[in-house]
Amino acid sequence: MPHTGPQSVDRALEILDAVADAPGPVSAKALARRVGCSLSTAYHLLAPLAARGYVVRTARGYVPGPRVPLLHRSFLRHLEPAPRMTDLLARLRRTTGAEAYYTAYRGGLITVVDTTAPVTDTANPFAPGRETRAHATAHGKALLAELPGPALRRYLTEHGMARLTAATITSADGLERELSRVRGQGFAVSVGEADPSYTCLAVALPRAGDDGAVHALSVSLPTEEFRRRPEGIRAALADAAAAVS
């Protein structure tokens, strides 16, 4: 990612991202290589991150610190109806047998806010965090279909429409036709567009405020399993969305 602010701030954030993305503890030397700075600079940047609780130094290297989950809780507080979603996602998971997700569009970004998928399930294609494949996911399409034209065009200009699989929609005209179908039928579907093995279904939720935020519920499961019971999964998702409203 290109630097957009003071270099020391950018590098500190890059280090924090590297620690968060690593599969386990990561050494200061490895972080210095990742960021492209000297080892002394890496230690200089790690010191305030550790002091503020964003990272913790262990015998094996640096790991995310206790401040990180507090940031996520703060994020949820500002994303109504997020505080009520955990139980609903769990019920949706039990009803469908598919992993369930809560996703939000806010301030020009789409985020997978919460999911029933275990954090250890690295094979799951839809992990919590910033979503960069909105054009290819059901939750992304459900959210994009709710945006006014200027906001939609701005989002696509900033994030692009990368081809992820042979089924990915990569043209603006093609996506607009798809979003028109989403608006007409009231739900979005993605069959192998983000991951060749998975299908996801999503519905947008009624707007909860006037800040331009849009929210969605979705489920994902292997495509072969979805094809055995599409109507039941769609009905369970619609019932869950109705429970929110």
Side-chain angles (χ1 to χ4, degrees):
M1 181 178 294
H3 289 171
T4 56
Q7 188 177 48
S8 61
V9 174
D10 275 324
R11 280 183 166 170
L13 293 174
E14 286 178 14
I15 282 179
L16 184 58
D17 284 340
V19 171
D21 293 342
V26 57
S27 68
K29 186 178 293 185
L31 290 169
R33 286 197 301 267
R34 171 76 177 270
V35 175
C37 66
S38 67
L39 182 58
S40 61
T41 298
Y43 278 122
H44 177 74
L45 296 171
L46 283 162
L49 290 174
R52 291 174 177 267
Y54 291 102
V55 299
V56 170
R57 185 178 185 180
T58 71
R60 296 172 53 211
Y62 289 88
V63 297
R67 180 63 182 163
V68 175
L70 294 177
L71 290 176
H72 186 249
R73 289 175 62 186
S74 176
F75 180 69
L76 293 179
R77 279 201 310 273
H78 289 273
L79 259 186
E80 180 69 24
R84 294 178 285 146
M85 282 293 171
T86 301
D87 291 341
L88 182 63
L89 292 178
R91 290 199 301 271
L92 185 56
R93 173 69 175 84
R94 290 193 297 269
T95 302
T96 63
E99 300 298 356
Y101 308 83
Y102 166 46
T103 314
Y105 167 92
R106 193 183 196 195
L109 297 176
I110 289 178
T111 305
V112 179
V113 179
D114 200 3
T115 173
T116 58
V119 294
T120 54
D121 184 6
T122 57
N124 189 286
F126 309 113
R130 184 173 175 178
E131 178 61 270
T132 59
R133 308 160 299 172
H135 63 293
T137 65
H139 51 256
K141 289 189 282 188
L143 296 170
L144 294 177
E146 295 291 309
L147 300 185
L152 172 60
R153 290 189 291 273
R154 184 163 55 250
Y155 183 91
L156 295 179
T157 297
E158 292 177 357
H159 298 277
M161 300 175 64
R163 180 173 297 282
L164 304 172
T165 74
T168 306
I169 298 172
T170 57
S171 73
D173 288 343
L175 183 62
E176 182 49 52
R177 289 191 295 271
E178 175 72 0
L179 297 183
S180 181
R181 281 192 290 271
V182 172
R183 298 180 192 106
Q185 63 195 13
F187 64 89
V189 62
S190 167
V191 181
E193 295 176 46
D195 183 286
S197 301
Y198 279 80
T199 286
C200 51
L201 242 69
V203 292
L205 301 177
R207 294 185 183 239
D210 57 2
D211 63 351
V214 189
H215 310 265
L217 282 178
S218 63
V219 295
S220 76
L221 66 169
T223 296
E224 289 187 7
E225 185 178 344
F226 168 76
R227 285 173 175 159
R228 289 196 293 268
R229 49 194 179 93
E231 295 304 325
I233 293 173
R234 191 175 299 135
L237 187 59
D239 289 346
V244 175
S245 61

